[in-house]
Amino acid sequence: MTSCYGDISLRVVLVIFGGFLVHLALGAMYTIGNFSPYIVSYIRNRTDDTSIRNVDSLWIISIGSIGQCIGLSIGGLNAHRFGARIATLIGSVIFCTATAMNYFSVKSSFIVFVITYGLIRYLGHKATYGTPVQTAIKWLPNHATLAAGLVVSGTGGGSMIFNQIITEYVNPNNLSPDYIDDDDERYFTQEEVLDKVPSCFLILGGIYFGLQILGIVCLAEPPSISKQVQVKAKTADIDYETNDDTLDKEKHDLNKVGVSSNDQIDSIVINSAKQSENIDRNSEPQKQLGILEAVKVSLTSRSFYILWLTILLISCGMQFISGLYKAYGQTFIDDDHFLAVVGSVSAVFNCLGRPIWGAVMDKVGYRITMWIISGGFAITTGTLLFTEHFHKSLFLVWVCAIFFFFCGIWSMIPSALAKLLGPEHMAINYGMIYTGVSIAAILGSTLASTLKSEIGWHGLFFLSSGMGVIVFIVSFFFNGVDRSGKNI
């Protein structure tokens, strides 16, 4: 199969499709904004934790980010030791088992639920996350950002499906929250809604595992560099024999017409030698960095720290949207199914935006792309509050726009790391850089819990916007180059 991206084999398509399926299940993480009002309402009414609030659901993300950081490094080490399929399977089993375990933990207490849904489930999520991306990049190293974007688009699109499954199962009659507390936060108390919450986790766990098993079957490591060189060497031998036959024929033709030109014959020989030399040069494998060497290069690179700060700030600002958009929307929209649609449609933009921003970065580079993303994120989060005064469809449009700009970092940063340090250790370095997400989650949860009652929803959105502005400024100082010295 030939395209504008060169020769793309069926094997490459299957690998990317397999990675997409794995990430489609992982996209369930973005259902937290839609699912959390049901979960919080259940815990308030069915356990002893009667005082938790919607905003406290951000602690699920906060504690989960610690598991994510650990999981990425574990996934990278597993991929290095066991290969793509086994490494992905290990992460998948943890992720899906933890999902099903929430059937029991949600009935216990908020703290126990945070451990299973947050820490353990998020650990499995990120132990699964990096290897399919790394594998796709290995198959398409010249289009690393696009390859990463196609795979992680599954993560963006997963919530499009699972938001609808969750809402149709838990709240099929489109009931709105019927209890309003002193802070104007709303909660469900209807039995027909609350009764469905625990069993929903069992259904989701089974669906996730089925999707990921299908995806794992499609994954495969690319041929080793040594095998590629052997193939190219055989091709060179064939070409050289062909050149010898051509040389003899051309010599015969020259003698036949009475031409005895050593210059012409030498030219033929030189061209043949140049062909062989070019093949040998292209066949020479690029030196790979060892694990410790790659980590050392990361920690001494200014670009690495800029990527770390970028993922910290954008992730922190996005928490107030992805985790709380439904709780905020419920303050002026009395339509639970519509708010679920907001989550699903925004997931489409979260899905499509990833390969789009990946392709944009491949064309114009990191800095210009990040200026567009961070600038758009700052503008849309800072103006979300105006949607309260218009038709509810404008709220949908704004949330979709925020997700569209936000999602770009998830295709750009893995690709930038792969170009900066090589794809062979991308998952490990991504685990290091993901410490920024852990800090962002803790920071975001703390800010929301302590400041929400003081600054309100609008204040939280202005904080998000300010973080986008900082990323816009910091991106001016990014100076990363790939292993060949070309600007990223």
Side-chain angles (χ1 to χ4, degrees):
M1 182 187 303
T2 302
S3 72
C4 60
Y5 291 102
D7 294 330
I8 301 179
S9 67
L10 178 61
R11 176 74 267 184
V12 174
V13 174
L14 284 175
V15 167
I16 291 177
F17 178 68
F20 174 85
L21 287 180
V22 171
H23 275 249
L24 191 67
L26 296 181
M29 306 307 285
Y30 287 105
T31 62
I32 185 65
N34 180 55
F35 207 176
S36 62
Y38 303 135
I39 295 170
V40 171
S41 296
Y42 182 90
I43 295 175
R44 283 175 61 96
N45 286 276
R46 300 292 177 87
T47 73
D48 294 333
D49 295 328
T50 59
S51 61
I52 67 166
R53 303 164 298 163
N54 283 320
V55 72
D56 293 327
S57 64
L58 291 183
W59 285 107
I60 297 172
I61 303 174
S62 177
I63 300 302
S65 68
I66 299 173
Q68 285 181 320
C69 185
I70 298 171
L72 271 171
S73 297
I74 290 175
L77 292 172
N78 285 341
H80 186 73
R81 183 174 181 180
F82 302 116
R85 286 180 176 172
I86 300 300
T88 306
L89 178 62
I90 292 171
S92 175
V93 169
I94 297 172
F95 174 70
C96 298
T97 301
T99 300
M101 285 172 57
N102 293 313
Y103 172 82
F104 302 100
S105 64
V106 76
K107 299 177 180 180
S108 178
S109 69
F110 183 65
I111 293 176
V112 174
F113 181 78
V114 166
I115 292 173
T116 56
Y117 192 96
L119 183 65
I120 301 175
R121 186 168 178 261
Y122 277 58
L123 187 152
H125 178 275
K126 280 301 182 283
T128 313
Y129 188 98
T131 303
V133 179
Q134 177 176 286
T135 304
I137 289 175
K138 287 180 180 179
W139 280 95
L140 288 175
N142 294 328
H143 304 286
T145 316
L146 178 62
L150 289 171
V151 171
V152 300
S153 65
T155 304
S159 60
M160 173 183 64
I161 299 171
F162 298 119
N163 272 330
Q164 293 302 308
I165 292 175
I166 291 168
T167 300
E168 288 298 327
Y169 180 76
V170 176
N171 188 14
N173 295 320
N174 196 23
L175 300 177
S176 295
D178 59 345
Y179 176 76
I180 304 175
D181 69 4
D182 295 336
D183 292 328
D184 198 34
E185 292 198 30
R186 306 186 180 198
Y187 303 95
F188 294 94
T189 63
Q190 298 94 325
E191 296 291 325
E192 61 184 287
V193 173
L194 301 182
D195 289 344
K196 298 285 190 68
V197 172
S199 57
C200 188
F201 292 111
L202 297 177
I203 295 171
L204 293 174
I207 296 174
Y208 301 158
F209 191 67
L211 284 172
Q212 292 191 330
I213 286 297
L214 289 176
I216 289 168
V217 170
C218 296
L219 293 180
E221 295 283 354
S224 64
I225 293 177
S226 59
K227 289 183 179 180
Q228 294 179 36
V229 172
Q230 289 175 5
V231 171
K232 290 181 180 179
K234 289 180 181 179
T235 304
D237 290 340
I238 295 171
D239 289 344
Y240 186 75
E241 291 175 1
T242 303
N243 288 335
D244 284 345
D245 293 340
T246 302
L247 178 61
D248 291 339
K249 183 178 182 301
E250 293 191 18
K251 283 181 180 179
H252 175 75
D253 291 342
L254 287 171
N255 291 330
K256 185 176 179 179
V257 296
V259 177
S260 178
S261 173
N262 290 329
D263 290 339
Q264 289 180 330
I265 295 174
D266 289 342
S267 177
I268 296 171
V269 175
I270 291 171
N271 289 335
S272 178
K274 283 182 178 179
Q275 279 187 322
S276 180
E277 181 183 351
N278 289 335
I279 293 171
D280 291 339
R281 185 183 297 114
N282 293 333
S283 301
E284 184 179 351
Q286 192 178 41
K287 180 183 176 182
Q288 295 184 357
L289 296 175
I291 294 178
L292 293 179
E293 188 178 2
V295 171
K296 182 180 179 181
V297 171
S298 299
L299 296 178
T300 56
S301 169
R302 182 174 80 184
S303 297
F304 181 85
Y305 289 104
I306 290 176
L307 293 176
W308 182 86
L309 184 60
T310 295
I311 204 170
L312 185 156
L313 292 171
I314 295 294
S315 297
C316 185
M318 189 61 188
Q319 271 196 80
F320 307 138
I321 309 299
S322 61
L324 298 172
Y325 76 87
K326 186 173 184 178
Y328 168 63
Q330 286 173 341
T331 62
F332 60 96
I333 298 174
D334 291 322
D335 188 341
D336 192 58
H337 281 191
F338 174 79
L339 292 173
V341 169
V342 171
S344 294
V345 177
S346 64
V348 175
F349 286 83
N350 193 5
C351 171
L352 297 179
R354 297 179 185 224
I356 289 173
W357 291 120
V360 171
M361 179 176 159
D362 279 338
K363 293 293 184 181
V364 302
Y366 175 89
R367 287 204 295 178
I368 293 177
T369 310
M370 186 54 71
W371 289 335
I372 298 172
I373 287 175
S374 57
F377 180 80
I379 293 171
T380 50
T381 53
T383 56
L384 180 62
L385 57 97
F386 295 114
T387 61
E388 298 175 14
H389 308 291
F390 297 92
H391 191 269
K392 62 184 180 181
S393 59
L394 189 63
F395 179 71
L396 167 65
V397 171
W398 239 248
V399 173
C400 289
I402 291 171
F403 270 95
F404 180 72
F405 287 114
F406 158 74
C407 72
I409 66 171
W410 302 116
S411 56
M412 290 180 61
I413 290 182
S415 175
L417 282 174
K419 292 179 178 181
L420 191 66
L421 302 164
E424 59 274 6
H425 302 304
M426 188 275 293
I428 295 174
N429 284 296
Y430 198 35
M432 293 169 54
I433 213 166
Y434 216 86
T435 57
V437 178
S438 299
I439 295 173
I442 295 172
L443 179 61
S445 300
T446 303
L447 290 174
S449 298
T450 57
L451 297 180
K452 164 63 171 57
S453 58
E454 301 295 331
I455 63 177
W457 292 109
H458 298 172
L460 293 180
F461 300 149
F462 286 139
L463 280 177
S464 295
S465 181
M467 292 174 189
V469 172
I470 294 174
V471 171
F472 183 90
I473 295 171
V474 167
S475 299
F476 280 89
F477 301 97
F478 183 85
N479 64 343
V481 295
D482 61 21
R483 301 282 295 284
S484 64
K486 183 180 178 181
N487 288 332
I488 296 175

